Amino acid sequence: QAAADPMSSSDAPEDGPKETSSVSQNISDADAFKILLEMKMKKRQKKPNLPSTVTELDTEDGSKVYVVGTAHFSDSSKKDVVKTIQEVQPDVVVVELCQYRVSMLKMDEKTLLKEAKEINLEKLQQAIKQNGVMSGLMQMLLLKVSAHITEQLGMAPGGEFREAFKEASKVPFCKFHLGDRPIPVTFKRAIAALSFWQKVKLAWGLCFLSDPISKDDVEKCKQKDLLEQMMAEMIGEFPDLHRTIVSERDIYLTYMLKQAAKQIELPRASETEPRNYIPAVVVGVVGMGHVPGIEKNWNSDLNIQEIMSVPPPSASSKIFKFVIKATVFGLMGYGCYRLGQRTVQFILSMPAAQSYLQKLTEMRSQH
């Protein structure tokens, strides 16, 4: 900090020695960068003491990537993330989040716990507006799975990502990247992969999820994340759905980790000085279920254009969409009908209304 913010001459005593301020002013941005970088390198452990949940991967140019496999509802996963970042002092931290879920990084645990438990009509409307009817409903059903775990454990999801965000801010020159594929793309591709009856069956299974979960269950699932395991059990009979929700995201996460692991350019004193690069150190924070896929894809040439495209809606999607809309409007119409019927009966039962009707009857009989 002293190197980055040298003391100005106005802050120095007028009658004191001026050597300190003149030396401070001579420190360039490049020198300050070098000083802080050296401090960071000294703190970086040559042989880091890493948790057992960390997988180490190397790139062709010598960069290192430490992938922390986490359980999304686990206190020990938070500790693993913090310890890994402190040990390796990374240049980049990549987390399994996209821009649509980035808000959870800055929300406090209490607010997140409340938000995760509450699934209301407003959230459903927002999801449908953002992703379309089918993808919005799929998102809400998956949120129901997460809310079920949250309610059972009293623990908000994403704690390991918030810890990664906090810890990365303490490391000099450490960048923070979002590494997951955008939710709308994932859900739209998932919907397109299902037939009409598969969509009905999946929605039915998600709607009636109620199995109890304990904290011991979470820790037992440390080798396979609890949320992803529950989803895997429900989508196991739908290979295409597993491909879009898990396998394709493995590819996307791998690609983003490799992009983050490109060599870092060192600061130069002048434009004429040659460029020097050093290998990067990256920490990836992902669900444990994605680690095997990342390892499998690590040495492959990856192209994410195909898995980022959204196919046009199929005939079954249009039918299912029509059925959902017809059901919603039908229920609304029936509700209005019942409400109107009860309202009319209530009004007619009032003494004033009965008196008015009696007068009308008498007037008609006189004519």
Side-chain angles (χ1 to χ4, degrees), residues 60-72:
E60 293 178 356
D61 56 19
S63 295
K64 286 191 175 293
V65 178
Y66 300 92
V67 182
V68 188
T70 67
H72 293 314

mmCIF file with all atom_site columns, all heavy atoms in Angstrom, residues 60-72:
data_model
loop_
_atom_site.group_PDB
_atom_site.id
_atom_site.type_symbol
_atom_site.label_atom_id
_atom_site.label_alt_id
_atom_site.label_comp_id
_atom_site.label_asym_id
_atom_site.label_entity_id
_atom_site.label_seq_id
_atom_site.pdbx_PDB_ins_code
_atom_site.Cartn_x
_atom_site.Cartn_y
_atom_site.Cartn_z
_atom_site.occupancy
_atom_site.B_iso_or_equiv
_atom_site.pdbx_formal_charge
_atom_site.auth_seq_id
_atom_site.auth_comp_id
_atom_site.auth_asym_id
_atom_site.auth_atom_id
_atom_site.pdbx_PDB_model_num
ATOM 1  N N   . GLU A 1 60 ? -0.250  -26.340 -20.932 1.00 0.00 ? 60 GLU A N   1
ATOM 2  C CA  . GLU A 1 60 ? 0.959   -26.556 -21.730 1.00 0.00 ? 60 GLU A CA  1
ATOM 3  C C   . GLU A 1 60 ? 2.028   -25.502 -21.462 1.00 0.00 ? 60 GLU A C   1
ATOM 4  O O   . GLU A 1 60 ? 3.219   -25.776 -21.593 1.00 0.00 ? 60 GLU A O   1
ATOM 5  C CB  . GLU A 1 60 ? 0.600   -26.558 -23.218 1.00 0.00 ? 60 GLU A CB  1
ATOM 6  C CG  . GLU A 1 60 ? -0.256  -27.750 -23.632 1.00 0.00 ? 60 GLU A CG  1
ATOM 7  C CD  . GLU A 1 60 ? -0.641  -27.695 -25.102 1.00 0.00 ? 60 GLU A CD  1
ATOM 8  O OE1 . GLU A 1 60 ? -0.296  -26.681 -25.760 1.00 0.00 ? 60 GLU A OE1 1
ATOM 9  O OE2 . GLU A 1 60 ? -1.276  -28.646 -25.590 1.00 0.00 ? 60 GLU A OE2 1
ATOM 10 N N   . ASP A 1 61 ? 1.597   -24.289 -21.096 1.00 0.00 ? 61 ASP A N   1
ATOM 11 C CA  . ASP A 1 61 ? 2.582   -23.225 -20.858 1.00 0.00 ? 61 ASP A CA  1
ATOM 12 C C   . ASP A 1 61 ? 3.003   -23.117 -19.390 1.00 0.00 ? 61 ASP A C   1
ATOM 13 O O   . ASP A 1 61 ? 3.633   -22.142 -18.990 1.00 0.00 ? 61 ASP A O   1
ATOM 14 C CB  . ASP A 1 61 ? 2.052   -21.881 -21.358 1.00 0.00 ? 61 ASP A CB  1
ATOM 15 C CG  . ASP A 1 61 ? 0.711   -21.514 -20.742 1.00 0.00 ? 61 ASP A CG  1
ATOM 16 O OD1 . ASP A 1 61 ? 0.368   -22.081 -19.687 1.00 0.00 ? 61 ASP A OD1 1
ATOM 17 O OD2 . ASP A 1 61 ? -0.004  -20.673 -21.323 1.00 0.00 ? 61 ASP A OD2 1
ATOM 18 N N   . GLY A 1 62 ? 2.639   -24.107 -18.570 1.00 0.00 ? 62 GLY A N   1
ATOM 19 C CA  . GLY A 1 62 ? 3.120   -24.142 -17.195 1.00 0.00 ? 62 GLY A CA  1
ATOM 20 C C   . GLY A 1 62 ? 2.198   -23.549 -16.149 1.00 0.00 ? 62 GLY A C   1
ATOM 21 O O   . GLY A 1 62 ? 2.531   -23.552 -14.956 1.00 0.00 ? 62 GLY A O   1
ATOM 22 N N   . SER A 1 63 ? 1.057   -23.045 -16.553 1.00 0.00 ? 63 SER A N   1
ATOM 23 C CA  . SER A 1 63 ? 0.102   -22.506 -15.578 1.00 0.00 ? 63 SER A CA  1
ATOM 24 C C   . SER A 1 63 ? -0.517  -23.647 -14.781 1.00 0.00 ? 63 SER A C   1
ATOM 25 O O   . SER A 1 63 ? -0.620  -24.781 -15.256 1.00 0.00 ? 63 SER A O   1
ATOM 26 C CB  . SER A 1 63 ? -0.995  -21.711 -16.290 1.00 0.00 ? 63 SER A CB  1
ATOM 27 O OG  . SER A 1 63 ? -0.455  -20.566 -16.927 1.00 0.00 ? 63 SER A OG  1
ATOM 28 N N   . LYS A 1 64 ? -0.936  -23.317 -13.552 1.00 0.00 ? 64 LYS A N   1
ATOM 29 C CA  . LYS A 1 64 ? -1.535  -24.325 -12.680 1.00 0.00 ? 64 LYS A CA  1
ATOM 30 C C   . LYS A 1 64 ? -2.971  -23.940 -12.342 1.00 0.00 ? 64 LYS A C   1
ATOM 31 O O   . LYS A 1 64 ? -3.261  -22.775 -12.079 1.00 0.00 ? 64 LYS A O   1
ATOM 32 C CB  . LYS A 1 64 ? -0.728  -24.481 -11.389 1.00 0.00 ? 64 LYS A CB  1
ATOM 33 C CG  . LYS A 1 64 ? 0.592   -25.214 -11.590 1.00 0.00 ? 64 LYS A CG  1
ATOM 34 C CD  . LYS A 1 64 ? 1.221   -25.584 -10.267 1.00 0.00 ? 64 LYS A CD  1
ATOM 35 C CE  . LYS A 1 64 ? 2.480   -26.425 -10.461 1.00 0.00 ? 64 LYS A CE  1
ATOM 36 N NZ  . LYS A 1 64 ? 2.160   -27.760 -11.031 1.00 0.00 ? 64 LYS A NZ  1
ATOM 37 N N   . VAL A 1 65 ? -3.843  -24.946 -12.335 1.00 0.00 ? 65 VAL A N   1
ATOM 38 C CA  . VAL A 1 65 ? -5.246  -24.732 -11.986 1.00 0.00 ? 65 VAL A CA  1
ATOM 39 C C   . VAL A 1 65 ? -5.599  -25.681 -10.848 1.00 0.00 ? 65 VAL A C   1
ATOM 40 O O   . VAL A 1 65 ? -5.412  -26.895 -10.959 1.00 0.00 ? 65 VAL A O   1
ATOM 41 C CB  . VAL A 1 65 ? -6.167  -24.988 -13.202 1.00 0.00 ? 65 VAL A CB  1
ATOM 42 C CG1 . VAL A 1 65 ? -7.628  -24.808 -12.807 1.00 0.00 ? 65 VAL A CG1 1
ATOM 43 C CG2 . VAL A 1 65 ? -5.812  -24.043 -14.351 1.00 0.00 ? 65 VAL A CG2 1
ATOM 44 N N   . TYR A 1 66 ? -6.090  -25.113 -9.767  1.00 0.00 ? 66 TYR A N   1
ATOM 45 C CA  . TYR A 1 66 ? -6.507  -25.896 -8.606  1.00 0.00 ? 66 TYR A CA  1
ATOM 46 C C   . TYR A 1 66 ? -8.035  -25.876 -8.542  1.00 0.00 ? 66 TYR A C   1
ATOM 47 O O   . TYR A 1 66 ? -8.640  -24.839 -8.247  1.00 0.00 ? 66 TYR A O   1
ATOM 48 C CB  . TYR A 1 66 ? -5.917  -25.317 -7.321  1.00 0.00 ? 66 TYR A CB  1
ATOM 49 C CG  . TYR A 1 66 ? -4.406  -25.301 -7.309  1.00 0.00 ? 66 TYR A CG  1
ATOM 50 C CD1 . TYR A 1 66 ? -3.702  -24.180 -7.745  1.00 0.00 ? 66 TYR A CD1 1
ATOM 51 C CD2 . TYR A 1 66 ? -3.692  -26.405 -6.856  1.00 0.00 ? 66 TYR A CD2 1
ATOM 52 C CE1 . TYR A 1 66 ? -2.314  -24.156 -7.736  1.00 0.00 ? 66 TYR A CE1 1
ATOM 53 C CE2 . TYR A 1 66 ? -2.295  -26.393 -6.838  1.00 0.00 ? 66 TYR A CE2 1
ATOM 54 C CZ  . TYR A 1 66 ? -1.617  -25.267 -7.282  1.00 0.00 ? 66 TYR A CZ  1
ATOM 55 O OH  . TYR A 1 66 ? -0.234  -25.250 -7.268  1.00 0.00 ? 66 TYR A OH  1
ATOM 56 N N   . VAL A 1 67 ? -8.656  -27.013 -8.851  1.00 0.00 ? 67 VAL A N   1
ATOM 57 C CA  . VAL A 1 67 ? -10.120 -27.102 -8.869  1.00 0.00 ? 67 VAL A CA  1
ATOM 58 C C   . VAL A 1 67 ? -10.604 -27.632 -7.525  1.00 0.00 ? 67 VAL A C   1
ATOM 59 O O   . VAL A 1 67 ? -10.296 -28.771 -7.150  1.00 0.00 ? 67 VAL A O   1
ATOM 60 C CB  . VAL A 1 67 ? -10.597 -28.027 -10.008 1.00 0.00 ? 67 VAL A CB  1
ATOM 61 C CG1 . VAL A 1 67 ? -12.127 -28.061 -10.051 1.00 0.00 ? 67 VAL A CG1 1
ATOM 62 C CG2 . VAL A 1 67 ? -10.040 -27.559 -11.346 1.00 0.00 ? 67 VAL A CG2 1
ATOM 63 N N   . VAL A 1 68 ? -11.350 -26.803 -6.815  1.00 0.00 ? 68 VAL A N   1
ATOM 64 C CA  . VAL A 1 68 ? -11.907 -27.206 -5.515  1.00 0.00 ? 68 VAL A CA  1
ATOM 65 C C   . VAL A 1 68 ? -13.300 -27.777 -5.765  1.00 0.00 ? 68 VAL A C   1
ATOM 66 O O   . VAL A 1 68 ? -14.213 -27.056 -6.168  1.00 0.00 ? 68 VAL A O   1
ATOM 67 C CB  . VAL A 1 68 ? -12.003 -26.020 -4.540  1.00 0.00 ? 68 VAL A CB  1
ATOM 68 C CG1 . VAL A 1 68 ? -12.392 -26.518 -3.142  1.00 0.00 ? 68 VAL A CG1 1
ATOM 69 C CG2 . VAL A 1 68 ? -10.694 -25.242 -4.493  1.00 0.00 ? 68 VAL A CG2 1
ATOM 70 N N   . GLY A 1 69 ? -13.466 -29.081 -5.530  1.00 0.00 ? 69 GLY A N   1
ATOM 71 C CA  . GLY A 1 69 ? -14.779 -29.711 -5.665  1.00 0.00 ? 69 GLY A CA  1
ATOM 72 C C   . GLY A 1 69 ? -15.570 -29.521 -4.394  1.00 0.00 ? 69 GLY A C   1
ATOM 73 O O   . GLY A 1 69 ? -15.133 -29.921 -3.313  1.00 0.00 ? 69 GLY A O   1
ATOM 74 N N   . THR A 1 70 ? -16.733 -28.899 -4.501  1.00 0.00 ? 70 THR A N   1
ATOM 75 C CA  . THR A 1 70 ? -17.496 -28.540 -3.295  1.00 0.00 ? 70 THR A CA  1
ATOM 76 C C   . THR A 1 70 ? -18.873 -29.182 -3.278  1.00 0.00 ? 70 THR A C   1
ATOM 77 O O   . THR A 1 70 ? -19.412 -29.590 -4.302  1.00 0.00 ? 70 THR A O   1
ATOM 78 C CB  . THR A 1 70 ? -17.683 -27.010 -3.216  1.00 0.00 ? 70 THR A CB  1
ATOM 79 O OG1 . THR A 1 70 ? -18.530 -26.582 -4.288  1.00 0.00 ? 70 THR A OG1 1
ATOM 80 C CG2 . THR A 1 70 ? -16.360 -26.285 -3.299  1.00 0.00 ? 70 THR A CG2 1
ATOM 81 N N   . ALA A 1 71 ? -19.443 -29.249 -2.069  1.00 0.00 ? 71 ALA A N   1
ATOM 82 C CA  . ALA A 1 71 ? -20.860 -29.538 -1.896  1.00 0.00 ? 71 ALA A CA  1
ATOM 83 C C   . ALA A 1 71 ? -21.521 -28.192 -1.638  1.00 0.00 ? 71 ALA A C   1
ATOM 84 O O   . ALA A 1 71 ? -21.077 -27.443 -0.773  1.00 0.00 ? 71 ALA A O   1
ATOM 85 C CB  . ALA A 1 71 ? -21.072 -30.482 -0.714  1.00 0.00 ? 71 ALA A CB  1
ATOM 86 N N   . HIS A 1 72 ? -22.557 -27.867 -2.405  1.00 0.00 ? 72 HIS A N   1
ATOM 87 C CA  . HIS A 1 72 ? -23.117 -26.517 -2.358  1.00 0.00 ? 72 HIS A CA  1
ATOM 88 C C   . HIS A 1 72 ? -23.752 -26.165 -1.007  1.00 0.00 ? 72 HIS A C   1
ATOM 89 O O   . HIS A 1 72 ? -23.985 -25.009 -0.713  1.00 0.00 ? 72 HIS A O   1
ATOM 90 C CB  . HIS A 1 72 ? -24.149 -26.336 -3.471  1.00 0.00 ? 72 HIS A CB  1
ATOM 91 C CG  . HIS A 1 72 ? -23.545 -26.358 -4.845  1.00 0.00 ? 72 HIS A CG  1
ATOM 92 N ND1 . HIS A 1 72 ? -22.403 -25.655 -5.165  1.00 0.00 ? 72 HIS A ND1 1
ATOM 93 C CD2 . HIS A 1 72 ? -23.915 -27.009 -5.982  1.00 0.00 ? 72 HIS A CD2 1
ATOM 94 C CE1 . HIS A 1 72 ? -22.109 -25.854 -6.446  1.00 0.00 ? 72 HIS A CE1 1
ATOM 95 N NE2 . HIS A 1 72 ? -22.993 -26.677 -6.952  1.00 0.00 ? 72 HIS A NE2 1
#
